[in-house]
Amino acid sequence: MLIPILLTGLLSGATPNVGDTAPDFTVKDTEGKVYILSEMVKQGPVIVAFFPKAFTGGCTKELKAYTARHAEIEKLQGRVLAFSTDDAETLARFKADLKAPFPFIPDPEAKVVEAYDVKMPIATVSKRYTFVVGEGRKVLKVDSGGDAVDPSSAITSCSQAKPASPFAAPAAAAKDAPPAAKAPAAAPEAKSKQ
C-alpha cells in the first residue's frame, strides 16, 4: 500500500501546494510507533515538518519553537510529525535533547522526502518545508526555507481547519431528536470512502 502511494508522489515530481492532496504515508517514529497520515487527519490537522539535519542551528530553532508551542497546537486538535533523513538514533537524541513532545520520523532513504519532492538535489537531505494537512489529506498551508522555521503560520492554518469530528455534536444532539433529524448521521460513512 505504501509503495504505490510513494511512487505516485515520485512520479508527480512536484511539491504539493495548497489545495493539493498530500501523499499518504505509513511511517515509524524513533520509538517504533506507526503513523498513517490518512488516519491521522481524521482526528485533526497534521503539521508535516521536514527539516534538513538534527543538531544544526536552524533546525534546532525550528523544533524548539514547535516544542514551545505544542500545547497551542494540541488545543487546535493538531499534531506534529518532524521528518529528517537522519537515522533513528540521531533523531532520538535530538528529540530527547529538545524535550520535544511530538514524534520524530527518521527517513534515511528519503522515501517520504521524495514523495513530497523536498529532497535536496545532490545530497540525501530534505529541504526545510512544512505542510499543514487537513481532512481528506488536503494541503492547507505550505511554508519553506526561513518561513518554515517559525511555526506561527502553520499553527494559524490548524485553527482554520475543519473540525475533526463535524458530526460528533449533532449526533449527540440527535439522540433526543425525532427520527427524521437522525438522517444526516449517514454522511460520515459516505465521507470515509474518499
Side-chain angles (χ1 to χ4, degrees):
M1 179 175 125
L2 179 62
I3 292 171
I5 293 167
L6 290 177
L7 285 177
T8 300
L10 287 171
L11 296 175
S12 70
T15 305
N17 290 307
V18 172
D20 291 348
T21 301
D24 201 2
F25 53 72
T26 299
V27 293
K28 286 185 181 178
D29 70 4
T30 54
E31 298 169 6
K33 185 172 179 189
V34 175
Y35 296 87
I36 303 169
L37 182 63
S38 55
E39 293 300 316
M40 293 178 72
V41 296
K42 292 175 184 177
Q43 306 303 314
V46 178
I47 299 171
V48 180
F50 293 97
F51 65 95
K53 211 78 177 138
F55 298 105
T56 58
C59 298
T60 299
K61 182 177 179 181
E62 176 185 2
L63 281 300
K64 275 186 176 180
Y66 274 107
T67 298
R69 298 186 68 184
H70 191 256
E72 193 177 337
I73 296 166
E74 284 186 317
K75 283 181 189 172
L76 298 170
Q77 297 179 341
R79 292 195 272 175
V80 177
L81 292 178
F83 278 85
S84 168
T85 56
D86 289 305
D87 61 49
E89 286 179 29
T90 301
L91 284 185
R93 286 195 322 270
F94 190 41
K95 178 180 178 354
D97 188 58
L98 297 171
K99 297 179 177 58
F102 47 87
F104 278 51
I105 312 294
D107 188 19
E109 295 175 9
K111 290 180 180 178
V112 179
V113 167
E114 287 179 353
Y116 278 74
D117 194 31
V118 296
K119 183 183 169 291
M120 289 190 185
I122 298 170
T124 304
V125 174
S126 79
K127 299 174 189 173
R128 187 181 319 281
Y129 261 88
T130 300
F131 299 88
V132 180
V133 183
E135 191 174 4
R137 296 195 342 260
K138 293 298 176 203
V139 177
L140 305 174
K141 177 72 176 159
V142 180
D143 285 321
S144 63
D147 292 340
V149 173
D150 180 359
S152 297
S153 65
I155 294 170
T156 299
S157 296
C158 285
S159 70
Q160 296 168 350
K162 288 184 177 181
S165 307
F167 298 97
K175 206 186 317 180
D176 301 321
K182 292 185 181 180
E189 198 173 297
K191 187 177 187 180
S192 68
K193 292 179 184 175
Q194 290 179 343

